[in-house]
Amino acid sequence: QVQLVESGGGLVQAGGSLRLSCATSGRTSSIKAMGWFRQAPGKEREFVGIISWSGGTTYYADSVKGRFSISRDNAKNTVYLQMNSLNVEDTAVYYCAADLTGYSDSPRSYDYWGQGTQVTVSS
């Protein structure tokens, strides 16, 4: 079992920044990659980015490339999503997720999910 707890969401003005955290616990040695996803009202869950658990390789959706970055602190078993230059289209509930088998941008590949944290960007 892997437990994930997100934090750091909130209300921010367009052009601002937020950093989300995802604290992991449990069998973290089983994790191959950590992904970030988001879901806006009435829309499907969307891939944001991913980081490999061991090597730290990252990959981002085109919609956030150059604005968002993912990092990890292995000592704290925590993954971060730094979001800069936010715009209203970034408003969504953000989820972190753990993939125990690979490195994928598909939510179906993920085994464990956090509870989500709301990010609201005002114009």
Side-chain angles (χ1 to χ4, degrees):
Q1 287 273 15
V2 175
Q3 293 79 42
L4 307 175
V5 178
E6 298 106 337
S7 61
L11 175 64
V12 63
Q13 286 190 330
S17 299
L18 276 177
R19 188 178 79 159
L20 306 183
S21 300
C22 176
T24 70
S25 60
R27 294 187 61 184
T28 58
S29 60
S30 301
I31 298 173
K32 295 295 187 289
M34 291 292 297
W36 284 95
F37 294 82
R38 65 187 182 185
Q39 189 164 19
K43 294 188 176 181
E44 293 187 351
R45 193 162 295 190
E46 174 191 22
F47 170 76
V48 173
I50 186 174
I51 186 167
S52 63
W53 189 250
S54 58
T57 304
T58 55
Y59 171 72
Y60 302 95
D62 288 343
S63 58
V64 306
K65 201 173 294 182
R67 301 187 298 123
F68 290 12
S69 64
I70 300 174
S71 61
R72 78 205 192 288
D73 184 334
N74 286 350
K76 295 182 178 180
N77 282 334
T78 300
V79 176
Y80 303 97
L81 177 65
Q82 177 67 44
M83 305 184 293
N84 300 325
S85 301
L86 286 160
N87 57 59
V88 294
E89 289 77 27
D90 295 316
T91 296
V93 177
Y94 283 71
Y95 300 89
C96 64
D99 189 340
L100 305 188
T101 57
Y103 185 83
S104 173
D105 61 3
S106 169
R108 292 186 296 274
S109 297
Y110 286 76
D111 304 281
Y112 296 96
W113 292 82
Q115 82 284 0
T117 185
Q118 176 71 46
V119 172
T120 302
V121 184
S122 63
S123 59

